[in-house]
Amino acid sequence: QKEVEQNSGPLSVPEGAIASLNCTYSDRGSQSFFWYRQYSGKSPELIMSIYSNGDKEDGRFTAQLNKASQYVSLLIRDSQPSDSATYLCAVRRDKGDTGRRALTFGSGTRLQVQP
Amino acid sequence: DTGVSQDPRHKITKRGQNVTFRCDPISEHNRLYWYRQTLGQGPEFLTYFQNEAQLEKSRLLSDRFSAERPKGSFSTLEIQRTEQGDSAMYLCASSPSRGELAKNIQYFGAGTRLSVL
């Protein structure tokens, strides 16, 4: 079992629709959760971070975290063709200031927004 | 440019050669990370520095790989005796050490794409 699992897609949605991207993780000690967007051939770009259960909204993006279910999701409202990219879920297990700082990434979900 | 800078952007080498990559983090960030990404996969952690101290190393970092950050500023990643399996994008990221939430955020450079022939 991979530590962070994502459906590879592609997830295809029409322009203006809501895109829903999901991620599950296996390490119950994970405390920090991130969504990165990566365009083809480019570096990952942080979209959202979330640390506590519930929803966190930023513009058209909403991140949802459920630690009991070990589940993180990203909703993109009013999807645009420019949102077409691979979305990477990343988790980090924090152990205080000297703890493990590496991010563990999923393989990403490719999103295609059709004009 | 105030982002994470990596050099070179592309490197083509023959199997068995040594290669070295450089990363310049965001200036006020004292934490620096190296990741490797292959096609269709997410980045995989290689190593982490806080200032000049190398605090974490992945088992992916075989003895052919070495990373340094001698003055706590830029970092280098060297691969000796390259193999075709080393072909990947090598990403560098940095994060601040102050600010409870800010220090969790890693900012990535554009990466160095290595092709081993």
Side-chain angles (χ1 to χ4, degrees):
Chain A
Q1 181 190 12
K2 288 186 176 181
E3 291 187 57
V4 180
E5 299 253 21
Q6 295 182 256
N7 188 317
S8 61
L11 172 66
S12 185
V13 300
E15 184 174 354
I18 296 175
S20 178
L21 304 161
N22 304 315
C23 169
T24 58
Y25 60 94
S26 61
D27 185 354
R28 284 195 172 274
S30 300
Q31 298 292 327
S32 306
F33 306 87
F34 307 89
W35 284 99
Y36 282 83
R37 177 176 63 196
Q38 187 172 31
Y39 293 111
S40 180
K42 303 296 185 182
S43 60
E45 172 193 10
L46 183 70
I47 298 296
M48 293 285 288
S49 60
I50 187 166
Y51 305 98
S52 54
N53 284 328
D55 294 359
K56 178 181 177 183
E57 185 175 321
D58 184 1
R60 296 187 296 113
F61 300 97
T62 299
Q64 300 174 317
L65 174 61
N66 183 326
K67 289 184 180 179
S69 300
Q70 296 174 247
Y71 177 89
V72 192
S73 66
L74 179 70
L75 300 178
I76 306 174
R77 288 180 299 281
D78 188 24
S79 296
Q80 301 296 310
S82 59
D83 294 325
S84 298
T86 295
Y87 288 79
L88 298 164
C89 173
V91 305
R92 194 185 112 181
R93 182 186 178 100
D94 298 316
K95 287 185 178 178
D97 206 44
T98 58
R100 189 167 186 268
R101 301 210 161 274
L103 291 175
T104 301
F105 284 86
S107 296
T109 298
R110 188 157 62 95
L111 173 66
Q112 293 178 340
V113 180
Q114 306 295 335
Chain B
D1 187 352
T2 57
V4 178
S5 177
Q6 291 189 246
D7 184 70
R9 293 293 308 278
H10 303 275
K11 179 70 177 178
I12 300 173
T13 191
K14 293 182 179 179
R15 189 177 53 180
Q17 298 295 304
N18 299 343
V19 294
T20 300
F21 311 140
R22 176 179 170 126
C23 172
D24 287 87
I26 295 171
S27 61
E28 63 268 25
H29 290 183
N30 68 348
R31 293 175 174 167
L32 185 147
Y33 312 79
W34 286 98
Y35 291 83
R36 181 179 72 183
Q37 186 175 24
T38 53
L39 196 63
Q41 301 299 314
E44 296 174 292
F45 170 73
L46 293 177
T47 191
Y48 155 63
F49 290 86
Q50 180 158 324
N51 299 312
E52 65 275 11
Q54 189 173 19
L55 297 184
E56 275 186 71
K57 291 171 65 174
S58 163
R59 62 181 182 277
L60 292 176
L61 209 69
S62 74
D63 56 5
R64 295 186 298 107
F65 288 69
S66 63
E68 294 183 341
R69 195 182 182 198
K71 297 182 179 179
S73 56
F74 72 91
S75 175
T76 59
L77 177 68
E78 182 183 17
I79 309 174
Q80 295 182 327
R81 305 181 303 282
T82 52
E83 302 173 355
Q84 287 184 326
D86 297 330
S87 296
M89 175 77 86
Y90 289 83
L91 293 164
C92 178
S94 69
S95 67
S97 60
R98 295 177 182 170
E100 192 59 35
L101 295 181
K103 66 184 180 183
N104 287 304
I105 307 298
Q106 296 182 21
Y107 299 88
F108 283 83
T112 294
R113 182 169 296 283
L114 173 66
S115 298
V116 181
L117 305 179

